[in-house]
Amino acid sequence: MKKEMKVIEIHATSLQDTMRQMKHVLGGEINERWGEFTFTVNNENATGNIRFVMFEWGVGLLEYDIVFHDDTILITDTSTFNPIHFIYCLEGFCSHRFGREDMNKMKRIEQFQSVIITNKNGGHNYTYFPKDTKLAINIVQITRKQYLKKNLNGVDSLNEKLHEVFMDTDHENRFSYYGSYNLKLANKINALRQVPSKNGMIRIMQMEGMVYEILAMHISQQEKDSTNLYPKSSLLKRELKVIRNLAKKIVTNFSVDYSVDGLSKESGLSQAKLQEGFKLLYTRTVTEYIRHIRLEAARDFISTTDMNISQIVYTIGFSSRSYFSKIFKAKYGISPSEFQNNAKKNSLAKGVA
């Protein structure tokens, strides 16, 4: 016998209220530290957690890291709490429709896709989560009336359509934007998830700064899409994931003697697609990206180890010290030896202090 879909109805006045109502249906518990709330559940309904934080000026962060054990639909009444939602799926997918639309109007929010949604006052948002699917979803929420009180809100610089959305403080209109795939957002959101938790206050401040960066990236993509300035790509989502995995491999194994031909054979992608993907995701050719990663590693080695320059050159995969010195100075404006001397002086000064 087929199990029915689990329905969670939300009539909330805030993000915190939303989580309390989800907890009432799903079970679990909510804990708070330094203004960061974590809703944790581990039962027959779901396994995982949802993290949420409210910053100043009506900016909120909602992060799903959860598996629902039933097909689940969240029905949210927008009468009293109706922010603009900037949505991004790191893993899995979800779907959305506005309340008055037919079920066949449900639009899927794909992995790595930038999506912006807001409803009109008194409407309903229907958000569908599939069962037994790992979901890692990042949502930045903007409460308009509060946000517009911020002196430097940047709204006047937005394009006409987004400006209308932000200025619609009476929530008279619906708006939805489903963008193309954006793996740069994935990198930034992953960095947000890895902010250290040792110092609560500093953590929250760092998170807030990164949330504004994520918001800016959503807005930038929508603006470029609306003016056809966003770079077009022939690459499929599957191919972009392959390139992103290659880039991660290079970061962790930077000393390997990579070649474009070798990476092409390993990935199954043509050299042209490799170059297109690296330029799209990292604004560098494959060779430029490898060199950049090696130089960043070299700088870290100089700052944190007692290795001499020749040892570092060998460790990062270069064979010529003179070539290394040339490109290091071109990138950082200082020779490796000078950088090392400065690092030692700073270390000694800290020891004396």
Side-chain angles (χ1 to χ4, degrees), residues 59-71:
V59 178
L61 169 67
L62 180 63
E63 287 198 330
Y64 289 80
D65 190 2
I66 198 167
V67 175
F68 292 100
H69 299 315
D70 301 305
D71 288 327

Side-chain angles (χ1 to χ4, degrees), residues 33-273:
R33 186 170 183 266
W34 290 94
E36 179 180 356
F37 294 81
T38 304
F39 166 41
T40 304
V41 58
N42 183 14
N43 57 31
E44 70 280 3
N45 296 317
T47 302
N49 64 75
I50 303 174
R51 176 172 63 154
F52 58 103
V53 187
M54 282 304 302
F55 304 105
E56 293 183 334
W57 310 111
V59 178
L61 169 67
L62 180 63
E63 287 198 330
Y64 289 80
D65 190 2
I66 198 167
V67 175
F68 292 100
H69 299 315
D70 301 305
D71 288 327
T72 300
I73 193 154
L74 192 68
I75 305 174
T76 308
D77 184 345
T78 63
S79 300
T80 54
F81 183 56
N82 187 19
I84 309 170
H85 303 267
F86 295 82
I87 307 169
Y88 190 87
C89 287
L90 271 177
E91 293 184 59
F93 69 93
C94 59
S95 302
H96 173 272
R97 71 176 174 90
F98 295 117
R100 292 186 177 180
E101 296 177 332
D102 295 333
M103 280 296 293
N104 59 12
K105 294 287 187 180
M106 187 79 76
K107 293 193 69 172
R108 183 155 150 159
I109 302 172
E110 299 281 4
Q111 185 183 24
F112 304 139
Q113 186 178 24
S114 169
V115 173
I116 306 173
I117 291 171
T118 189
N119 207 338
K120 67 190 300 183
N121 184 42
H124 290 82
N125 288 318
Y126 284 68
T127 308
Y128 163 77
F129 302 107
K131 66 179 292 188
D132 298 333
T133 300
K134 173 65 187 302
L135 301 174
I137 303 172
N138 175 286
I139 305 173
V140 177
Q141 297 187 347
I142 302 293
T143 304
R144 280 163 275 200
K145 286 184 178 179
Q146 289 177 257
Y147 185 76
L148 291 173
K149 293 177 182 178
K150 188 176 188 290
N151 289 332
L152 299 175
N153 57 48
V155 170
D156 289 341
S157 64
L158 299 176
N159 64 38
E160 182 180 355
K161 192 63 195 175
L162 270 186
H163 185 269
E164 289 176 2
V165 172
F166 272 81
M167 298 305 294
D168 182 18
T169 54
D170 291 328
H171 308 161
E172 295 177 336
N173 301 295
R174 297 186 179 93
F175 174 80
S176 63
Y177 154 76
Y178 289 76
S180 49
Y181 302 122
N182 186 330
L183 270 73
K184 291 181 181 178
L185 261 170
N187 294 335
K188 181 60 65 176
I189 290 168
N190 270 321
L192 171 64
R193 286 172 164 243
Q194 293 167 13
V195 173
S197 58
K198 289 182 180 179
N199 188 313
M201 183 175 69
I202 293 176
R203 171 179 165 82
I204 294 297
M205 292 171 66
Q206 289 177 325
M207 287 172 60
E208 183 173 14
M210 296 176 81
V211 163
Y212 275 104
E213 288 184 68
I214 291 165
L215 175 63
M217 291 171 77
H218 276 289
I219 290 172
S220 176
Q221 177 162 335
Q222 190 278 337
E223 291 184 330
K224 287 175 181 177
D225 276 347
S226 67
T227 54
N228 295 316
L229 292 177
Y230 203 79
K232 302 300 179 185
S233 173
S234 63
L235 293 163
L236 303 173
K237 181 177 73 168
R238 171 183 55 80
E239 294 169 330
L240 287 171
K241 289 174 71 174
V242 169
I243 290 168
R244 186 163 176 255
N245 288 334
L246 280 181
K248 287 181 178 179
K249 178 181 178 179
I250 292 167
V251 169
T252 55
N253 300 280
F254 46 76
S255 64
V256 173
D257 185 19
Y258 295 107
S259 68
V260 177
D261 182 57
L263 290 171
S264 173
K265 289 177 181 176
E266 177 185 341
S267 64
L269 300 178
S270 68
Q271 293 187 29
K273 284 197 170 187

